[in-house]
Amino acid sequence: MAKFLTSREENYSQWYNDLVIKADLAENSAVRGCMVIKPYGYAIWEKIQAELDRLFKATGHVNAYFPLFIPKSFFSREAAHVEGFAKECAVVTHYRLKNDESGKGIVIDPEAKLEEELVIRPTSETIIWNSYKNWIQSYRDLPILINQWANVVRWEMRTRLFLRTAEFLWQEGHTAHATAGEAIEEARRMIDLYAGFAENSMALPVYKGSKTESERFAGAIDTMAIEALMQDGKALQAGTSHFLGQNFAKAFDVKFTDQDGKLDYVWATSWGVSTRLMGALIMAHSDNNGLILPPKLAPLQVVIIPIYKTGSDLEKISEYAEKIKTDLGKAGLSVKYDTRDTQTPGWKFADYELKGVPVRIAIGPRDIANNTVEISRRDTLEKSTIPFTGIKEHVTELLEKIQVNIYNKALAFRNQNTHYCNTWKEFKEIINGKGGFVMAHWDGTAETEARIKEETKATIRCIPFDSVPEEGKCIYSGKPSSRRVLFAVAY
RNA sequence: CGGGGUGUAGCGCAGCCCGGUUAGCGCAUCUGGUUUGGGACCAGAGGGUCGCAGGUUCGAAUCCUGCCACCCCGACCA
């Protein structure tokens, strides 16, 4: 089985690449570092989008859209911001092409040089706060709770499908508030929302916490993140939410008059998740047979496959199958009845396993005779034969069970691979060995953090919100520490 | 951007070192037939600017130079 995929044990990153390609999720394009998201992959992204969009709206946010291009000068207004992004910006310098004089091909028209270059957004804080300046005068104009679904470009050196591409799709929330407290609350609300989404919809357990200063978003006061563990023991940052203080308000001169008539700068947050979530989803659950998708995000939840020898067999099976399809459809499930006679049942079984369809129903003459169906779950590959009556209830329950089981499995793995280390030796053994998360004491200095990174590649993923105060000694420097932080080698 | 590797049919590869008929093989595709409860079988067919540009040579997939792309490992990052 699974001779079409490189196995996880053999080469985890090759397995991931194979899976993305063979499950027809995405492929590389003619443009370096940019991917084509194929229909099946995009369907999963649409499910992710739909649920997140619902959650954003349920917490009072609205969608808007800002330009792809940002005047170069906007970036220099916030010092830390420009420093963080300058190295990976694509820049538009001209607005016209013309035929080459020599008659061969087309060239940039040197006369069509832009007076001010435009940066293709790597993130939209600057262009958005430039607009907010005009929208905000009084506390009555606040808060502004806006989200944008967009593409952004970050000219990365090394790219990998979904995990790191030069162009990616994401959503970015940009909110404006009258008080620091309100903004902090908002930033925290959104990281909680992301964590809830990861756990409930993606079946992906995450650690929540704040980044250290060196890992913080360029221009933020506090960056909060959710961190997930992949099957190879590496961590993946799955979402971030930033408390931006008054940095962008100051950079773009966004002031408002409060209830006491005093003028103050506006407080900001921004938060986002990207198509990288697709990578997390793929890597966290899948196996050597292919994708394993949580039912809540599977574009196709149930597939029905007929097994027949003759045309009259197929007729009977189809009648039976169509009933099931209609029935399950009424229960709100997405069901496909695959009647293609160009592929054999065995081929279809393998293909839908590769694509991670959670539940498969096979119907053959045997089932017609016995009034049964064969039902198979993708997460455990278990098969059973069940009676035709009550199939709707059975499938609905099974999908819920699968959702829970996938989560529990990922949680167990995450917990088994979260180690509490007290010595440097032990720390290195785990990080260099099996990997995983390490909860360890840290003296709070950027120097120690950098040294640890240099020696082991491990970084502080976050200072977990729920880490309990505890007296200890930094594993590296031996200096006193009051709480453990979360280390891992990250993607 | 540094180190290593690879570019030959849609995909995966052999051929290259040691230049010489019509560039092979597996998978996939197409046609016909038999099949169909875990990636079916037989027969036949189609498909190639040998990554690109120069050079050496009577002759280049093969040798030389330059470039480009991709993969792996580092630094950077969601």
Side-chain angles (χ1 to χ4, degrees):
Chain A
M1 260 207 253
K3 24 188 164 168
F4 301 90
L5 277 184
T6 304
S7 73
R8 285 174 293 187
E9 299 72 28
E10 201 181 318
N11 184 338
Y12 190 83
S13 60
Q14 192 59 46
W15 165 81
Y16 173 82
N17 286 338
D18 281 5
L19 186 47
V20 171
I21 302 288
K22 300 222 164 111
D24 225 14
L25 301 173
E27 63 188 23
N28 283 307
S29 72
V31 183
R32 187 198 129 80
C34 294
M35 64 179 163
V36 175
I37 306 176
K38 297 187 77 177
Y40 190 59
Y42 201 77
I44 299 170
W45 176 242
E46 284 179 314
K47 298 278 275 194
I48 290 174
Q49 273 189 307
E51 177 60 11
L52 283 172
D53 202 62
R54 190 186 71 75
L55 292 169
F56 296 155
K57 284 168 182 164
T59 44
H61 302 88
V62 291
N63 287 330
Y65 188 79
F66 295 85
L68 170 66
F69 303 115
I70 301 177
K72 192 182 72 179
S73 60
F74 280 22
F75 273 85
S76 39
R77 304 239 194 127
E78 216 289 328
H81 195 64
V82 66
E83 206 196 311
F85 287 102
K87 282 177 289 181
E88 49 190 39
C89 285
V91 185
V92 178
T93 55
H94 292 75
Y95 59 86
R96 193 164 62 210
L97 300 172
K98 63 171 190 178
N99 288 322
D100 190 2
E101 309 271 305
S102 69
K104 279 192 175 177
I106 206 156
V107 295
I108 292 168
D109 185 343
E111 296 192 355
K113 193 168 187 306
L114 289 170
E115 270 183 41
E116 180 177 1
E117 293 90 342
L118 297 170
V119 174
I120 299 177
R121 63 181 165 216
T123 180
S124 302
E125 276 78 6
T126 55
I127 190 85
I128 287 177
W129 277 85
N130 184 64
S131 290
Y132 283 0
K133 174 183 168 58
N134 302 323
W135 298 0
I136 301 165
Q137 277 86 40
S138 144
Y139 72 93
R140 292 190 176 91
D141 299 322
L142 295 170
I144 291 179
L145 303 173
I146 283 181
N147 175 61
Q148 153 166 283
W149 288 97
N151 59 338
V152 288
V153 168
R154 295 181 190 176
W155 215 259
E156 299 290 350
M157 301 286 187
R158 273 181 69 194
T159 59
R160 285 189 75 189
L161 293 169
F162 290 120
L163 295 174
R164 186 180 304 108
T165 48
E167 179 195 17
F168 55 95
L169 306 184
W170 76 345
Q171 58 68 215
E172 44 181 329
H174 295 274
T175 69
H177 306 266
T179 66
E182 203 185 290
I184 291 168
E185 199 182 307
E186 164 75 3
R188 178 60 196 258
R189 177 183 305 120
M190 299 319 285
I191 202 69
D192 287 345
L193 183 149
Y194 288 150
F197 171 78
E199 292 177 358
N200 297 327
S201 297
M202 297 176 67
L204 188 66
V206 292
Y207 284 120
K208 284 187 290 191
S210 283
K211 289 287 181 184
T212 60
E213 193 182 345
S214 56
E215 295 275 331
R216 208 172 274 160
F217 175 77
I221 305 289
D222 184 17
T223 288
M224 294 171 258
I226 53 171
E227 293 283 335
L229 188 64
M230 302 296 106
Q231 294 181 69
D232 62 347
K234 284 165 104 174
L236 185 74
Q237 180 174 305
T240 48
S241 180
H242 316 288
F243 168 56
L244 302 172
Q246 294 173 310
N247 290 348
F248 285 90
K250 284 176 180 163
F252 287 87
D253 195 31
V254 188
K255 291 182 202 157
F256 75 106
T257 311
D258 69 16
Q259 292 175 63
D260 304 322
K262 278 190 306 189
L263 210 54
D264 194 10
Y265 288 107
V266 177
W267 299 85
T269 81
S270 70
W271 28 274
V273 296
S274 72
T275 35
R276 174 179 253 201
L277 286 181
M278 295 282 296
L281 190 65
I282 297 158
M283 281 204 291
H285 304 306
S286 304
D287 65 17
N288 289 340
N289 293 316
L291 274 184
I292 293 180
L293 293 175
K296 286 184 183 171
L297 295 177
L300 188 61
Q301 293 165 308
V302 181
V303 65
I304 306 171
I305 297 171
I307 298 160
Y308 59 94
K309 289 198 168 72
T310 67
S312 69
D313 279 351
L314 179 61
E315 249 174 63
K316 273 182 250 164
I317 291 166
S318 290
E319 199 185 317
Y320 201 78
E322 290 292 352
K323 258 188 264 174
I324 295 171
K325 188 184 167 183
T326 309
D327 216 20
L328 294 179
K330 278 184 198 155
L333 304 180
S334 70
V335 186
K336 178 175 168 184
Y337 174 42
D338 188 347
T339 56
R340 285 177 299 171
D341 61 357
T342 49
Q343 316 291 352
T344 62
W347 191 93
K348 290 177 187 172
F349 290 171
D351 193 51
Y352 288 111
E353 269 163 22
L354 182 59
K355 297 237 164 82
V357 177
V359 170
R360 181 184 74 228
I361 296 172
I363 307 169
R366 212 158 67 198
D367 298 298
I368 302 289
N370 301 333
N371 233 17
T372 58
V373 300
E374 184 191 83
I375 191 158
S376 168
R377 53 189 286 186
R378 176 62 184 90
D379 59 336
T380 60
L381 297 171
E382 284 166 342
K383 284 196 273 200
S384 57
T385 300
I386 61 158
F388 178 81
T389 48
I391 192 165
K392 182 169 86 179
E393 291 71 21
H394 187 97
V395 170
T396 310
E397 274 170 37
L398 184 57
L399 286 168
E400 280 163 20
K401 265 192 232 166
I402 293 171
Q403 182 81 30
V404 170
N405 179 51
I406 294 176
Y407 176 76
N408 286 341
K409 204 175 155 192
L411 181 64
F413 178 80
R414 201 273 310 264
N415 289 344
Q416 274 160 26
N417 289 286
T418 299
H419 310 274
Y420 284 74
C421 282
N422 295 314
T423 68
W424 179 234
K425 183 170 172 278
E426 201 188 344
F427 180 93
K428 282 197 291 191
E429 271 168 17
I430 290 164
I431 292 294
N432 296 333
K434 260 186 75 190
F437 284 123
V438 175
M439 291 281 269
H441 281 284
W442 164 58
D443 62 19
T445 68
E447 292 74 37
T448 298
E449 192 183 4
R451 292 256 172 73
I452 293 173
K453 184 176 178 183
E454 228 169 85
E455 292 187 31
T456 65
K457 289 180 204 157
T459 50
I460 298 175
R461 301 320 302 157
C462 68
I463 304 159
F465 294 144
D466 58 7
S467 80
V468 285
E470 173 192 302
E471 291 310 313
K473 284 181 181 168
C474 173
I475 45 156
Y476 190 84
S477 68
K479 289 180 194 158
S481 151
S482 58
R483 70 195 315 200
R484 288 174 186 270
V485 298
L486 188 67
F487 285 90
V489 176
Y491 269 93

